[in-house]
Amino acid sequence: MSIWFSCPFFREYIMSAGMVSASKESISYVLNNKGGGHASVIVIGGAEESLNAHPGSLTLNILKRKGFIKMALKHGAHLVPVFSFGENELFKQVANPKGSWLRNVQEKLQKIMGFALPLFHARGVFQYSFGLIPYRQPIHTVVGSPIPVKQNLNPTTEEIEQLHALYLQKLRKLFEEHKRNYGIPEHKSLIFE
């Protein structure tokens, strides 16, 4: 369970906004709502991806993340690819390449605590040189067309892999269609890890 849902008062605050943890049980609860009209929005890369969130980085930790695909198949929930341009430009992060001492410590702490601790900085309230307030950068979120998913209570590994590959293809296409509009050079592409 996420640590955020264990903190008194903060738990009630985020739940009043309709947030739930990304656990199988919570997602199933949302998707099983008989009245309909509910959507699950999942930050797929999660804590691990936050350690790669450097300005200019286009790396998504998604290749091993297939639980959301399995849940979509079990519930017949359409998948909608979404990408936000500019998120990684809000903060600068201390260099932490894979294999470095800092990255190893961050990954160990992530396993213990359940969330990552990126060492980041941005601007201050009255000055622009250092602080924890995000830089003034726009974030542009683009939403792709839904990928229809037929309900299958017992999906095979092959079906999960096939839908995952289709999702990655649609996400890459969405990025490529819109990158010019948001200042991404033509030669840059998404990197899936």
Side-chain angles (χ1 to χ4, degrees), residues 90-109:
L90 296 177
F91 296 94
K92 291 182 181 172
Q93 191 175 160
V94 174
N96 61 342
K98 289 184 180 175
S100 69
W101 176 84
L102 176 58
R103 184 62 163 255
N104 289 337
V105 169
Q106 288 174 318
E107 288 172 351
K108 284 178 185 168
L109 287 173

mmCIF file of all heavy atoms in Angstrom, residues 90-109:
data_model
loop_
_atom_site.group_PDB
_atom_site.id
_atom_site.type_symbol
_atom_site.label_atom_id
_atom_site.label_comp_id
_atom_site.label_asym_id
_atom_site.label_seq_id
_atom_site.Cartn_x
_atom_site.Cartn_y
_atom_site.Cartn_z
ATOM 1 N N LEU A 90 10.295 21.090 -15.255
ATOM 2 C CA LEU A 90 9.867 21.855 -14.080
ATOM 3 C C LEU A 90 10.926 21.928 -12.989
ATOM 4 O O LEU A 90 10.945 22.873 -12.200
ATOM 5 C CB LEU A 90 8.589 21.247 -13.498
ATOM 6 C CG LEU A 90 7.359 21.296 -14.396
ATOM 7 C CD1 LEU A 90 6.193 20.594 -13.722
ATOM 8 C CD2 LEU A 90 7.008 22.716 -14.767
ATOM 9 N N PHE A 91 11.793 20.915 -12.921
ATOM 10 C CA PHE A 91 12.819 20.849 -11.891
ATOM 11 C C PHE A 91 14.120 20.366 -12.519
ATOM 12 O O PHE A 91 14.109 19.674 -13.534
ATOM 13 C CB PHE A 91 12.434 19.851 -10.785
ATOM 14 C CG PHE A 91 11.209 20.235 -10.021
ATOM 15 C CD1 PHE A 91 9.960 19.755 -10.375
ATOM 16 C CD2 PHE A 91 11.305 21.086 -8.920
ATOM 17 C CE1 PHE A 91 8.829 20.116 -9.667
ATOM 18 C CE2 PHE A 91 10.177 21.442 -8.203
ATOM 19 C CZ PHE A 91 8.938 20.957 -8.575
ATOM 20 N N LYS A 92 15.224 20.696 -11.897
ATOM 21 C CA LYS A 92 16.515 20.115 -12.246
ATOM 22 C C LYS A 92 16.827 19.097 -11.167
ATOM 23 O O LYS A 92 16.488 19.297 -10.009
ATOM 24 C CB LYS A 92 17.599 21.185 -12.308
ATOM 25 C CG LYS A 92 17.421 22.120 -13.471
ATOM 26 C CD LYS A 92 18.519 23.140 -13.532
ATOM 27 C CE LYS A 92 18.283 24.067 -14.714
ATOM 28 N NZ LYS A 92 19.222 25.189 -14.712
ATOM 29 N N GLN A 93 17.453 18.010 -11.567
ATOM 30 C CA GLN A 93 17.761 16.940 -10.623
ATOM 31 C C GLN A 93 19.273 16.718 -10.584
ATOM 32 O O GLN A 93 19.943 16.806 -11.622
ATOM 33 C CB GLN A 93 17.044 15.651 -11.065
ATOM 34 C CG GLN A 93 17.084 14.567 -10.044
ATOM 35 C CD GLN A 93 16.268 13.329 -10.429
ATOM 36 O OE1 GLN A 93 16.519 12.290 -9.877
ATOM 37 N NE2 GLN A 93 15.334 13.416 -11.336
ATOM 38 N N VAL A 94 19.787 16.441 -9.416
ATOM 39 C CA VAL A 94 21.215 16.131 -9.272
ATOM 40 C C VAL A 94 21.526 14.911 -10.140
ATOM 41 O O VAL A 94 20.745 13.951 -10.175
ATOM 42 C CB VAL A 94 21.558 15.857 -7.788
ATOM 43 C CG1 VAL A 94 22.993 15.386 -7.627
ATOM 44 C CG2 VAL A 94 21.292 17.100 -6.948
ATOM 45 N N ALA A 95 22.641 14.961 -10.848
ATOM 46 C CA ALA A 95 23.020 13.855 -11.734
ATOM 47 C C ALA A 95 23.090 12.551 -10.936
ATOM 48 O O ALA A 95 23.754 12.482 -9.907
ATOM 49 C CB ALA A 95 24.358 14.149 -12.395
ATOM 50 N N ASN A 96 22.367 11.544 -11.427
ATOM 51 C CA ASN A 96 22.318 10.240 -10.765
ATOM 52 C C ASN A 96 22.298 9.119 -11.794
ATOM 53 O O ASN A 96 21.353 8.341 -11.842
ATOM 54 C CB ASN A 96 21.097 10.156 -9.837
ATOM 55 C CG ASN A 96 19.790 10.316 -10.588
ATOM 56 O OD1 ASN A 96 19.750 10.805 -11.718
ATOM 57 N ND2 ASN A 96 18.695 9.885 -9.990
ATOM 58 N N PRO A 97 23.348 9.000 -12.620
ATOM 59 C CA PRO A 97 23.336 7.953 -13.637
ATOM 60 C C PRO A 97 23.245 6.559 -13.016
ATOM 61 O O PRO A 97 23.663 6.345 -11.873
ATOM 62 C CB PRO A 97 24.666 8.150 -14.373
ATOM 63 C CG PRO A 97 25.509 8.961 -13.461
ATOM 64 C CD PRO A 97 24.596 9.745 -12.585
ATOM 65 N N LYS A 98 22.678 5.642 -13.777
ATOM 66 C CA LYS A 98 22.545 4.262 -13.293
ATOM 67 C C LYS A 98 23.914 3.711 -12.943
ATOM 68 O O LYS A 98 24.879 3.893 -13.664
ATOM 69 C CB LYS A 98 21.865 3.396 -14.349
ATOM 70 C CG LYS A 98 20.412 3.741 -14.494
ATOM 71 C CD LYS A 98 19.705 2.838 -15.463
ATOM 72 C CE LYS A 98 18.256 3.285 -15.532
ATOM 73 N NZ LYS A 98 17.496 2.561 -16.512
ATOM 74 N N GLY A 99 23.981 3.054 -11.788
ATOM 75 C CA GLY A 99 25.236 2.489 -11.315
ATOM 76 C C GLY A 99 26.020 3.415 -10.410
ATOM 77 O O GLY A 99 26.986 2.989 -9.781
ATOM 78 N N SER A 100 25.626 4.691 -10.335
ATOM 79 C CA SER A 100 26.339 5.634 -9.470
ATOM 80 C C SER A 100 25.986 5.371 -8.011
ATOM 81 O O SER A 100 24.982 4.743 -7.696
ATOM 82 C CB SER A 100 25.993 7.077 -9.843
ATOM 83 O OG SER A 100 24.644 7.359 -9.514
ATOM 84 N N TRP A 101 26.819 5.892 -7.127
ATOM 85 C CA TRP A 101 26.590 5.737 -5.692
ATOM 86 C C TRP A 101 25.234 6.316 -5.302
ATOM 87 O O TRP A 101 24.475 5.681 -4.577
ATOM 88 C CB TRP A 101 27.719 6.430 -4.931
ATOM 89 C CG TRP A 101 27.529 6.406 -3.448
ATOM 90 C CD1 TRP A 101 27.883 5.387 -2.606
ATOM 91 C CD2 TRP A 101 26.903 7.400 -2.639
ATOM 92 N NE1 TRP A 101 27.530 5.701 -1.316
ATOM 93 C CE2 TRP A 101 26.922 6.942 -1.308
ATOM 94 C CE3 TRP A 101 26.340 8.639 -2.904
ATOM 95 C CZ2 TRP A 101 26.400 7.681 -0.270
ATOM 96 C CZ3 TRP A 101 25.815 9.369 -1.859
ATOM 97 C CH2 TRP A 101 25.851 8.880 -0.561
ATOM 98 N N LEU A 102 24.936 7.528 -5.787
ATOM 99 C CA LEU A 102 23.671 8.184 -5.451
ATOM 100 C C LEU A 102 22.477 7.366 -5.942
ATOM 101 O O LEU A 102 21.514 7.151 -5.205
ATOM 102 C CB LEU A 102 23.622 9.592 -6.052
ATOM 103 C CG LEU A 102 22.313 10.356 -5.859
ATOM 104 C CD1 LEU A 102 21.962 10.508 -4.378
ATOM 105 C CD2 LEU A 102 22.392 11.712 -6.543
ATOM 106 N N ARG A 103 22.545 6.878 -7.160
ATOM 107 C CA ARG A 103 21.426 6.107 -7.728
ATOM 108 C C ARG A 103 21.202 4.822 -6.945
ATOM 109 O O ARG A 103 20.068 4.430 -6.681
ATOM 110 C CB ARG A 103 21.694 5.805 -9.200
ATOM 111 C CG ARG A 103 20.570 5.085 -9.919
ATOM 112 C CD ARG A 103 19.295 5.948 -9.940
ATOM 113 N NE ARG A 103 18.374 5.475 -10.931
ATOM 114 C CZ ARG A 103 18.167 6.070 -12.092
ATOM 115 N NH1 ARG A 103 18.805 7.166 -12.412
ATOM 116 N NH2 ARG A 103 17.311 5.567 -12.932
ATOM 117 N N ASN A 104 22.282 4.160 -6.534
ATOM 118 C CA ASN A 104 22.150 2.931 -5.749
ATOM 119 C C ASN A 104 21.461 3.202 -4.414
ATOM 120 O O ASN A 104 20.588 2.441 -3.988
ATOM 121 C CB ASN A 104 23.517 2.283 -5.518
ATOM 122 C CG ASN A 104 24.088 1.686 -6.791
ATOM 123 O OD1 ASN A 104 23.355 1.370 -7.725
ATOM 124 N ND2 ASN A 104 25.396 1.562 -6.841
ATOM 125 N N VAL A 105 21.830 4.295 -3.754
ATOM 126 C CA VAL A 105 21.190 4.671 -2.490
ATOM 127 C C VAL A 105 19.715 4.985 -2.726
ATOM 128 O O VAL A 105 18.846 4.534 -1.976
ATOM 129 C CB VAL A 105 21.921 5.871 -1.837
ATOM 130 C CG1 VAL A 105 21.119 6.437 -0.682
ATOM 131 C CG2 VAL A 105 23.309 5.457 -1.377
ATOM 132 N N GLN A 106 19.411 5.747 -3.783
ATOM 133 C CA GLN A 106 18.013 6.095 -4.096
ATOM 134 C C GLN A 106 17.174 4.850 -4.357
ATOM 135 O O GLN A 106 16.039 4.748 -3.894
ATOM 136 C CB GLN A 106 17.959 7.026 -5.313
ATOM 137 C CG GLN A 106 18.436 8.425 -5.023
ATOM 138 C CD GLN A 106 18.519 9.286 -6.272
ATOM 139 O OE1 GLN A 106 18.970 8.848 -7.322
ATOM 140 N NE2 GLN A 106 18.086 10.539 -6.127
ATOM 141 N N GLU A 107 17.718 3.905 -5.099
ATOM 142 C CA GLU A 107 16.974 2.678 -5.408
ATOM 143 C C GLU A 107 16.744 1.821 -4.169
ATOM 144 O O GLU A 107 15.686 1.229 -4.003
ATOM 145 C CB GLU A 107 17.698 1.899 -6.508
ATOM 146 C CG GLU A 107 17.583 2.578 -7.864
ATOM 147 C CD GLU A 107 18.430 1.943 -8.946
ATOM 148 O OE1 GLU A 107 19.270 1.054 -8.644
ATOM 149 O OE2 GLU A 107 18.255 2.330 -10.121
ATOM 150 N N LYS A 108 17.753 1.755 -3.273
ATOM 151 C CA LYS A 108 17.582 0.998 -2.030
ATOM 152 C C LYS A 108 16.529 1.641 -1.138
ATOM 153 O O LYS A 108 15.667 0.945 -0.575
ATOM 154 C CB LYS A 108 18.915 0.870 -1.285
ATOM 155 C CG LYS A 108 19.839 -0.145 -1.910
ATOM 156 C CD LYS A 108 21.161 -0.228 -1.213
ATOM 157 C CE LYS A 108 22.050 -1.197 -1.996
ATOM 158 N NZ LYS A 108 23.421 -1.156 -1.582
ATOM 159 N N LEU A 109 16.566 2.964 -1.024
ATOM 160 C CA LEU A 109 15.553 3.677 -0.230
ATOM 161 C C LEU A 109 14.160 3.511 -0.835
ATOM 162 O O LEU A 109 13.175 3.402 -0.110
ATOM 163 C CB LEU A 109 15.910 5.161 -0.114
ATOM 164 C CG LEU A 109 17.072 5.487 0.818
ATOM 165 C CD1 LEU A 109 17.438 6.961 0.719
ATOM 166 C CD2 LEU A 109 16.743 5.105 2.252
#
